[in-house]
Amino acid sequence: MKVKRNVRLLSYVLSAAMLLSTGMVANARASEDASAAVQLSEREQRMEEILDNYHDAVNAQEFQLSTASVDEDKVSIQDETVALLNDEGFEAYSVNSNTFESVQSALDTDLTELGLDPAYSYIIIVDANGEGSGNAQTRSSAGSSFNYTYNGTTYSLRRLTVTAADDGRMAKSSSVNVLQSASRNLINNCLNTAIYAYIDFLSGPLHLGTVAAICGLNVANFGSAQSSTLNLHGATNWTRVYTQVWNSYDQRWFNGSSVEYVRSTSFMAGTYYDSATNSMKSVPQRQSSQTSYSRNYSNTTWQNQYAIVGFLNSFAQYDTVGAVKYSYGGSVKITHSENF
């Protein structure tokens, strides 16, 4: 079953890989620079890789299937991702309307306080590792924790990661037309225009690539300019990592602090006339993505101390990245606000 599951999930990932832009390769250095201050353990890198593949696979299915098929396939992709995470030693849960109450009971925490809504689906990963390091094959349990001493008192803490692909607060997608005229000169200018993502609370723009690099086309591909369309799409996914504190009085876990990362994705969609085949073709839906981390994402001391501060004051402490803005030609075209 494990082999079959992994092969099936791999097919989803391969479908998603067809969307990847050559711009991702061109921008690899920029991505490294943006993430230079973040130190991820091998375990954290593997978790993030699996979750990124999950989001890419869901996006790929949305491009290819009908609405009914998409909803059905999302469930399948999520369940197989959760199974893969568990196979690799993580403790993962698939949360939806059918499992909301049972997962909440198993984790001894209030999922609504995490901002989760039973109407949507989520992946939750529990990790008792205090420093975010260690062997990815080491399994924890819902009740496991690590101890942390603050001002002479020892507390029990744990990490809890939450991501979603269908909750409109944690996963947002928008599009805007960027081809206002069909002249070849304008098309050429459009293709050479760079796309940037700006993260509210972080410094410096993220270069996602030029339109040509993202969609893999040049002006020579547009045989009949007057029938061409180009739309810029921006997709944003936030993933939060909570540090929870055990409340022995209430016998449940309290959300003390939270850090997060955001994945900013851009791709082009539209149609163009291909004179070589004398037919209209769809613009290749390849994508360029970058990941940005909140300032204290790797600062476990901040996470632990502020979790206890949040616990003692009954008010969770958040370290966020803020809104993501997609810029085209020096002008912001899409804004995704962080409102959860």
Side-chain angles (χ1 to χ4, degrees):
M1 284 296 293
K2 178 178 177 179
V3 174
K4 182 178 180 181
R5 178 166 57 243
N6 289 346
V7 169
R8 188 176 175 193
L9 184 59
L10 177 61
S11 69
Y12 290 131
V13 174
L14 289 176
S15 296
M18 296 175 65
L19 302 174
L20 298 179
S21 168
T22 53
M24 290 188 68
V25 178
N27 295 323
R29 179 59 183 274
S31 178
E32 291 170 5
D33 293 343
S35 304
V38 177
Q39 301 295 323
L40 299 181
S41 67
E42 182 179 348
R43 179 184 180 86
E44 289 171 320
Q45 291 176 34
R46 180 55 180 153
M47 182 192 297
E48 186 176 313
E49 176 186 12
I50 293 173
L51 294 180
D52 285 349
N53 287 340
Y54 161 64
H55 289 297
D56 284 344
V58 169
N59 288 337
Q61 296 305 305
E62 288 181 341
F63 295 149
Q64 298 170 16
L65 302 175
S66 66
T67 301
S69 298
V70 167
D71 292 340
E72 183 177 314
D73 226 59
K74 275 184 181 179
V75 174
S76 177
I77 296 171
Q78 178 169 310
D79 287 345
E80 296 203 8
T81 300
V82 168
L84 176 59
L85 285 163
N86 284 319
D87 285 344
E88 297 209 10
F90 298 99
E91 183 189 355
Y93 297 83
S94 179
V95 181
N96 52 53
S97 59
N98 296 322
T99 64
F100 196 91
E101 293 297 332
S102 61
V103 172
Q104 184 168 253
S105 176
L107 296 180
D108 291 321
T109 195
D110 187 339
L111 296 183
T112 61
E113 290 184 0
L114 291 167
L116 276 60
D117 186 329
Y120 302 109
S121 59
Y122 309 83
I123 291 177
I124 290 181
I125 304 167
V126 179
D127 190 355
N129 195 319
E131 299 303 321
S133 60
N135 191 324
Q137 299 301 318
T138 302
R139 183 180 300 278
S140 61
S141 68
S144 63
S145 63
F146 62 94
N147 292 328
Y148 188 79
T149 301
Y150 180 75
N151 285 345
T153 302
T154 300
Y155 299 85
S156 293
L157 309 181
R158 73 176 182 187
R159 307 277 191 241
L160 192 149
T161 299
V162 180
T163 195
D166 66 344
D167 185 333
R169 297 165 302 170
M170 298 182 70
K172 299 185 178 184
S173 181
S174 306
S175 64
V176 61
N177 174 34
V178 296
L179 196 60
Q180 304 298 329
S181 169
S183 72
R184 292 184 67 81
N185 183 56
L186 185 67
I187 290 176
N188 188 57
N189 290 339
C190 175
L191 292 172
N192 289 325
T193 299
I195 307 299
Y196 290 91
Y198 292 83
I199 316 298
D200 260 7
F201 300 151
L202 304 179
S203 61
L206 301 177
H207 182 217
L208 296 172
T210 64
V211 172
I214 292 173
C215 68
L217 296 175
N218 58 59
V219 70
N221 296 116
F222 292 79
S224 178
Q226 65 269 18
S227 56
S228 303
T229 61
L230 274 176
N231 293 294
L232 166 67
H233 287 252
T236 307
N237 292 93
W238 288 270
T239 297
R240 282 189 175 169
V241 181
Y242 292 88
T243 298
Q244 295 190 308
V245 183
W246 178 250
N247 186 332
S248 58
Y249 181 80
D250 292 333
Q251 290 292 294
R252 70 180 184 91
W253 291 94
F254 177 88
N255 303 321
S257 69
S258 172
V259 294
E260 66 186 19
Y261 68 87
V262 63
R263 197 160 188 245
S264 309
T265 300
S266 180
F267 67 91
M268 306 302 298
T271 57
Y272 68 99
Y273 175 75
D274 182 11
S275 57
T277 60
N278 189 31
S279 63
M280 297 299 295
K281 286 190 175 181
S282 296
V283 171
Q285 289 179 328
R286 302 169 180 173
Q287 68 183 30
S288 178
S289 300
Q290 298 253 13
T291 300
S292 304
Y293 302 86
S294 62
R295 297 186 184 278
N296 292 295
Y297 192 85
S298 290
N299 188 345
T300 54
T301 299
W302 185 95
Q303 295 169 43
N304 297 341
Q305 291 185 353
Y306 274 82
I308 296 168
V309 169
F311 170 69
L312 295 176
N313 290 279
S314 300
F315 191 80
Q317 308 294 301
Y318 289 87
D319 176 42
T320 61
V321 296
V324 178
K325 301 172 183 177
Y326 296 85
S327 170
Y328 167 89
S331 175
V332 173
K333 299 296 184 182
I334 296 172
T335 298
H336 288 158
S337 300
E338 184 176 13
N339 55 357
F340 65 100

